[in-house]
Amino acid sequence: MLWAVLAAAAAPLQVARNAFQRGMIGEAGPWGATLVRFLFGLPFSLALLGIAVLATPDARPEPGLRFFLSVGAGGLAQVAATACLLVAMERAGFAVATFLQQAALPFGAVLGWIAFGDGMHPLQWLGVGVTTVGLSVLSWPREGLRTMDPGALLGLAAAAFFALSMNGYRQAGLALEPRHPIFAGIGAVVAAQAIQSVVLGGALALLRPAALRAVFVSWRASLGAGACGAGASVLWFSALAMSPPGPVRAIGVIEAPIAALAGRTLFRERLTPRQLAAGAATALGVVVTALA
């Protein structure tokens, strides 16, 4: 159950990283705020990789074609997911967007099962179903689909992209060094963040230089987001190297109540009774998934 401990430890770090990034959207824009977690997280990830190399001298990583294809696909999907999530937090609220991204659980479980043959216990599938119902209630507009909140749609889009990235990172870890999942997870984080920093940083330098300048002007918040993001990513990736994405994402539901508290404290957001009930159903589903 080491994977469950790692996933649980990643959740509060992820909420802290999201809060740092959420506060930067106004100046850096969603893409600049997205870059922060990768570019400023890379030095911390490299330091952790150095520690992992010293701690596992018998590791024999094999970064072949499967690794680079998997980590590249996962990295680009994570860029899109982060941008969607940050805009969703701005439009739908910090806590609601965090709840909505939990749809990565059913998306990731189904994708892992269909594409990679990752099996799950029947009770885990039941939990996925309950979670999906809760998420549907949370995102469904009272006036019907014609008035669907764009923030809710972006939250669900973030979840779909996160599901792609989780499966990509799991395959990358398995390809790199299956005997040492923590080493493999850290190695995948470094490769992903390097690719993401070059691709997104280069695009911003050409298309949105003002956003890139804002990222470096707000270097204190950028460092905070980078440190928390590196820690969360290393823990997530290591857990994914040990378990299919569905159960790992299920453990991560503990970020939802943390995000609700952060949204109320930092951004003065309030949840409606419907949102609280749907969030509770979502939490119940992921707990069933995790404990099955």
Side-chain angles (χ1 to χ4, degrees), residues 96-278:
V96 171
T98 302
F99 275 119
L100 287 168
Q101 74 159 329
Q102 305 306 324
L105 167 59
F107 294 162
V110 172
L111 178 61
W113 174 54
I114 293 175
F116 305 111
D118 285 333
M120 289 173 57
H121 190 278
L123 281 179
Q124 291 179 320
W125 285 114
L126 174 63
V128 167
V130 174
T131 299
T132 303
V133 171
L135 290 165
S136 299
V137 173
L138 186 64
S139 59
W140 197 269
R142 294 180 180 179
E143 294 80 10
L145 287 175
R146 292 182 180 179
T147 60
M148 188 72 166
D149 182 4
L153 290 174
L154 285 168
L156 293 175
F161 282 121
F162 275 129
L164 289 172
S165 70
M166 285 192 302
N167 279 281
Y169 290 149
R170 170 166 168 75
Q171 296 306 311
L174 292 175
L176 184 63
E177 173 51 288
R179 297 176 305 136
H180 295 283
I182 294 179
F183 175 92
I186 297 174
V189 169
V190 170
Q193 289 183 336
I195 294 171
Q196 291 160 331
S197 297
V198 170
V199 172
L200 186 53
L204 287 178
L206 291 174
L207 304 175
R208 296 289 302 276
L212 193 59
R213 285 195 296 270
V215 166
F216 288 99
V217 168
S218 305
W219 62 271
R220 289 184 178 85
S222 298
L223 278 176
C228 293
S233 294
V234 164
L235 293 168
W236 281 125
F237 283 34
S238 300
L240 287 168
M242 303 178 193
S243 170
V248 173
R249 181 66 262 176
I251 294 294
V253 76
I254 64 172
E255 73 181 286
I258 300 173
L261 178 61
R264 182 170 183 175
T265 303
L266 299 176
F267 308 115
R268 298 181 180 179
E269 297 172 355
R270 304 283 182 176
L271 296 177
T272 66
R274 182 173 74 111
Q275 290 170 337
L276 288 170

